[in-house]
Amino acid sequence: QNSMRDEAVNVVDLKTRELRNTPFGLISLGTVTEADISRNFRNFTVPYTPVRTVEEINTGTKQITMSVDWTYRGHNYGHSVTTIMRDQ
């Protein structure tokens, strides 16, 4: 389970970095569920489902919550990070 959690942290980091490299004006408000990102562990594959929620705090500032959810042995797990982005 620790490996799966660590990989969830990596997936959130990857998706957050992608957003940070996106021009501020192109980051639309709302919630978007992105395509699953699959990772292999020994003899099984875990699909991580990234979800991002973007809210406008004020003009030129957005709050972004990036989360991933996954299921292992019938149990649901999740990891999320919230960050603030400002128009430069």
Side-chain angles (χ1 to χ4, degrees), residues 64-81:
I64 299 169
T65 301
M66 181 61 67
S67 64
V68 292
D69 298 311
W70 71 98
T71 302
Y72 177 66
R73 293 188 176 175
H75 295 281
N76 297 323
Y77 298 92
H79 174 72
S80 67
V81 170

Side-chain angles (χ1 to χ4, degrees), residues 37-53:
I37 297 174
S38 295
R39 296 291 193 249
N40 296 317
F41 297 91
R42 294 188 181 166
N43 58 352
F44 61 95
T45 300
V46 175
Y48 293 92
T49 305
V51 177
R52 79 168 180 255
T53 302

Side-chain angles (χ1 to χ4, degrees), residues 21-35:
N21 290 324
T22 302
F24 186 83
L26 296 179
I27 300 173
S28 53
L29 302 177
T31 299
V32 176
T33 301
E34 300 183 13

